[in-house]
Each structure stands twice: as structure tokens, then as C-alpha cells.
């Protein structure tokens, strides 16, 4: 099982994590982070693997976890349509940045504990993730707790719009 599209031969794994209020209220965020930690233990070629983590609600959050930093650094992008990407540090070698990565995964719930933002910008987050791995290829793993509600790809909950989901109404 190789990393699809990787031109460098280095496995690249980018995790997108929903940190919206729904993710916190339903306790999915700790479950997401536990799944990420488990995934890291089973990554083939972990000594060569590069890793990145992004989180999102109505904003996109990029993390520089490079081993040259004493602790991870978060960069927030609020403009969803521009597609701005920070230029460095989004992917780091897993073997060198394990300490910063663990610190980030352990502290992410506290970082967003008072978050009341119920929006989910999955579309813009995915578009940015694709741009991050464009030159290397890789795998993107998405942890999503609700319908995307803002930006490209937003969806509307038909039940909240008053539509009845009875069989005759579904066919209309």
C-alpha cells in the first residue's frame, strides 16, 4: 500500500479535523484525535513519512509542527475563497516532529474548548489540503462531525429547512 501520486516516494499523510462546536459537543474531537494517534502507529515507512494536520470550523487552521520549533505554531486563515496557504512548515517528517505532533494532538481539545463556532468549512479545507500535497501526492484523511455549512461544497440540512422526509416528498 503506497501513497498514491507521490512523486518523491516519501509517504505524505495530511489529516483534516473538524473543530466546530458540534465536534466538541458530541465529544467527537477526542475520538478523532485518538484515531489519528492510532493511525500514526501503523503508518508504513514511518521513518520516511511526512505528516501534516489542519483543523477547521468557519476558519482554516494550519499547524507548523517542524522539529525546529519548540512547540507547534497555529496559523489561522479566515478568508475561505482566496485559498491562501502558509508557505512553510505544513508538512514535517514524522520521525523528527513526533514530540510537537503529540503536543498538538494532546492540546487541540483545550485550544478549542470555548469554541462556539458551529460552522464547518470542509470544502475550503479540502481544497487547501489538495494544494498542500499537489507536488508530492499523498493521503488526506478527513474527520468530519456535521454537514459542511460554509464555503465551497456547503450543504443544507433539509430537515431544518422544514422539508418532510416522507417518501412522497423525497421524490418531488
Amino acid at each position: 500500500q503506497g501513497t498514491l501520486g507521490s512523486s518523491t516516494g516519501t509517504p505524505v499523510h495530511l489529516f483534516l479535523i473538524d473543530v466546530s462546536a458540534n465536534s466538541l459537543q458530541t465529544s467527537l474531537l477526542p475520538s478523532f484525535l485518538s484515531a489519528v494517534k492510532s493511525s500514526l502507529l501503523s503508518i508504513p515507512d514511518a521513518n520516511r513519512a511526512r505528516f501534516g494536520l489542519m483543523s477547521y470550523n468557519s476558519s482554516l487552521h494550519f499547524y507548523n509542527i517542524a522539529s525546529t520549533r519548540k512547540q507547534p505554531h497555529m496559523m489561522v486563515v479566515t478568508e475561505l475563497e482566496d485559498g491562501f496557504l502558509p508557505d512553510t512548515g505544513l508538512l514535517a517528517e514524522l520521525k523528527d516532529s513526533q514530540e510537537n505532533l503529540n503536543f498538538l494532538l494532546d492540546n487541540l481539545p483545550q485550544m478549542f474548548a470555548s469554541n462556539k463556532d458551529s460552522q464547518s468549512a470542509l470544502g475550503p479545507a479540502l481544497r487547501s489540503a489538495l494544494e498542500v500535497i499537489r507536488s508530492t501526492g499523498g493521503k488526506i484523511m478527513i474527520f468530519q462531525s456535521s454537514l459542511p455549512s460554509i464555503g465551497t461544497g456547503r450543504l443544507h440540512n433539509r430537515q431544518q429547512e422544514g422539508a418532510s422526509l416522507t417518501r412522497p416528498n423525497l421524490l418531488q
Side-chain angles (χ1 to χ4, degrees):
Q1 287 184 343
T3 302
L4 298 177
S6 179
S7 60
T8 63
T10 302
V12 174
H13 303 271
L14 183 56
F15 292 86
L16 300 183
I17 300 177
D18 175 359
V19 292
S20 67
N22 184 64
S23 180
L24 294 161
Q25 292 166 354
T26 59
S27 297
L28 284 172
L29 183 57
S31 296
F32 293 163
L33 298 174
S34 176
V36 170
K37 287 179 183 179
S38 294
S39 297
L40 294 175
L41 297 174
S42 63
I43 289 178
D45 294 328
N47 289 335
R48 297 184 316 116
R50 293 177 61 205
F51 173 85
L53 188 132
M54 293 171 49
S55 61
Y56 57 94
N57 45 29
S58 65
S59 301
L60 305 180
H61 316 110
F62 300 92
Y63 301 93
N64 184 335
I65 58 168
S67 60
T68 56
R69 302 192 68 83
K70 289 185 180 181
Q71 65 181 6
H73 176 71
M74 180 170 73
M75 297 155 278
V76 179
V77 175
T78 57
E79 179 53 51
L80 301 177
E81 300 307 317
D82 276 350
F84 169 79
L85 281 178
D87 59 353
T88 59
L90 298 181
L91 295 174
E93 290 189 14
L94 187 57
K95 65 178 175 151
D96 296 333
S97 302
Q98 189 75 47
E99 190 174 318
N100 276 346
L101 177 57
N102 288 336
F103 180 85
L104 178 60
L105 293 172
D106 291 341
N107 288 286
L108 208 55
Q110 291 79 22
M111 291 168 58
F112 290 95
S114 61
N115 179 27
K116 303 293 184 223
D117 187 345
S118 63
Q119 300 293 323
S120 173
L122 175 60
L126 185 55
R127 185 177 59 226
S128 294
L130 289 169
E131 194 61 35
V132 169
I133 66 167
R134 176 185 301 269
S135 64
T136 61
K139 295 180 181 179
I140 299 172
M141 278 84 31
I142 301 171
F143 296 88
Q144 176 73 13
S145 71
S146 61
L147 289 175
S149 58
I150 188 171
T152 305
R154 72 179 165 268
L155 299 171
H156 300 283
N157 187 337
R158 293 184 287 181
Q159 287 179 326
Q160 289 180 348
E161 293 173 356
S164 174
L165 293 181
T166 61
R167 185 147 180 83
N169 287 344
L170 284 174
L171 300 175
Q172 294 177 354

